[in-house]
Amino acid sequence: MADHQQLAKSFEGIGEEYDRYRPGFPDAAADAILPERVGAVLDLGAGTGKFTELLVSRADRVAAVEPSVAMLDVLRAKLPGVEALAGGAESIPLPDGSMDAVTVAQAFHWFDRDAACAEIRRVLVPGGVLGLLWNHSDPTCAWDRACHRVAHPAVSDDADATTSAAADELPGFVFDHRSEIAWSERIARGDYVRRWLTVSSFLAADEATRSSMVTELDRILDADPETAGRDEFVLPIVTDVFVYRADAA
C-alpha cells in the first residue's frame, strides 16, 4: 500500500482529467463559509479550481495556491481573473494578514496540520475565516459506498477518514460551526468509473492492481438494481463544511 506522501504526489501529473471527472461543490457550501462578500479570499490546495470558481462572486480578490503545475494550468485557463500561485500549505506565498478568508476543499487531510494551520493563521487577518470542506459518499447509497470501499478499503461504512482532519480544535483557530449539505448530480456510468481513476489510490496503484479495482467497480455497478443496465444514474453526495475563526490573540 502506498504511503501518505506517495498518495499525495500521485496528483502531480493530472489536471484536465481531474477537472473533467471530479464533482464540483454546491453553492450552499460556499455560502456556509462566506455568507457575505469579503475583500480577499485564498483557496488553498485549489487543484483545478473546482471550489475556487464559487469564490469569484464572493470576494473582491481571489487567490489560489496549488503545488501541482498540471492542475494550476487548468485553473489559470478556466479562471484568468484569479491570482494563481504555485505553493504548498506549509509555505504559502502570500504576505502576513493579507486574506480575510481561507478555504481548503478536498485537501486539508494531505497537509501537515500544525505547519499548515500556522501558515493559514499568518496570512489571515485577526478573526479571519477558515473553511474546510469535503465531498463524500452518501451513507444511504449502497452502490457508491461499495465503490468507495474499493478505493479506500480501510474506511468503514460509517466513517470517512478524510474529514477526521477537521478536529474541533485547530491550533490558532476557534471552531465556529459545521454544515452537512446533501445534494446530487446526474452522471454517466463511464464518467463515474473515470472519476475513480482520478483518486489517489487508483493513481498510485500498479497497472494490474488498477485494472482489478476497475473490474470490481464494474461488478458492483452490474449487480446493484439502481445501476444495473443503466448508462446514467443519479449520484447522491454529501458535502461536509467546517468553519473556524482565526484566534485574535
Side-chain angles (χ1 to χ4, degrees), residues 33 96-102 116-132 168-177 242-249:
I33 300 169
D96 296 1
S98 58
M99 293 289 133
D100 298 299
V102 173
C117 284
E119 273 293 272
I120 293 167
R121 178 64 190 83
R122 180 185 65 78
V123 302
L124 276 172
V125 297
V129 173
L130 168 61
L132 311 179
D168 285 349
E169 294 184 8
L170 294 178
F173 293 89
V174 177
F175 180 73
D176 189 291
H177 69 275
F242 300 80
V243 179
Y244 306 79
R245 292 278 178 180
D247 194 325

Side-chain angles (χ1 to χ4, degrees), residues 89-213:
E90 298 80 16
S91 182
I92 301 172
L94 287 169
D96 296 1
S98 58
M99 293 289 133
D100 298 299
V102 173
T103 61
V104 185
Q106 216 73 25
F108 190 74
H109 56 288
W110 295 118
F111 299 168
D112 178 331
R113 192 194 74 155
D114 288 359
C117 284
E119 273 293 272
I120 293 167
R121 178 64 190 83
R122 180 185 65 78
V123 302
L124 276 172
V125 297
V129 173
L130 168 61
L132 311 179
L133 61 156
W134 288 269
N135 287 329
H136 63 79
S137 58
D138 188 320
T140 66
C141 184
W143 56 270
D144 188 48
R145 292 297 288 175
C147 290
H148 187 91
R149 288 192 296 274
V150 174
H152 307 291
V155 177
S156 72
D157 284 347
D158 300 321
D160 186 331
T162 55
T163 60
S164 66
D168 285 349
E169 294 184 8
L170 294 178
F173 293 89
V174 177
F175 180 73
D176 189 291
H177 69 275
R178 176 182 181 181
S179 300
E180 189 175 82
I181 301 159
W183 58 292
S184 65
E185 63 172 344
R186 184 167 291 277
I187 189 168
R189 173 171 169 153
D191 287 352
Y192 177 77
V193 172
R194 292 183 190 98
R195 174 175 293 179
W196 285 109
L197 293 173
T198 70
V199 170
S200 58
S201 56
F202 278 79
L203 291 169
D206 59 58
E207 188 172 346
T209 302
R210 188 182 304 114
S211 177
S212 176
M213 293 165 78

Side-chain angles (χ1 to χ4, degrees), residues 34-72:
L34 297 178
E36 298 179 351
R37 189 178 182 89
V38 296
V41 60
L42 163 66
D43 195 20
L44 183 59
T48 61
K50 303 291 282 188
F51 189 69
T52 320
E53 59 192 4
L54 296 183
L55 300 175
V56 172
S57 64
R58 292 173 167 84
D60 299 330
R61 174 193 174 201
V62 180
V65 169
E66 164 59 41
S68 166
V69 173
M71 290 196 181
L72 267 184

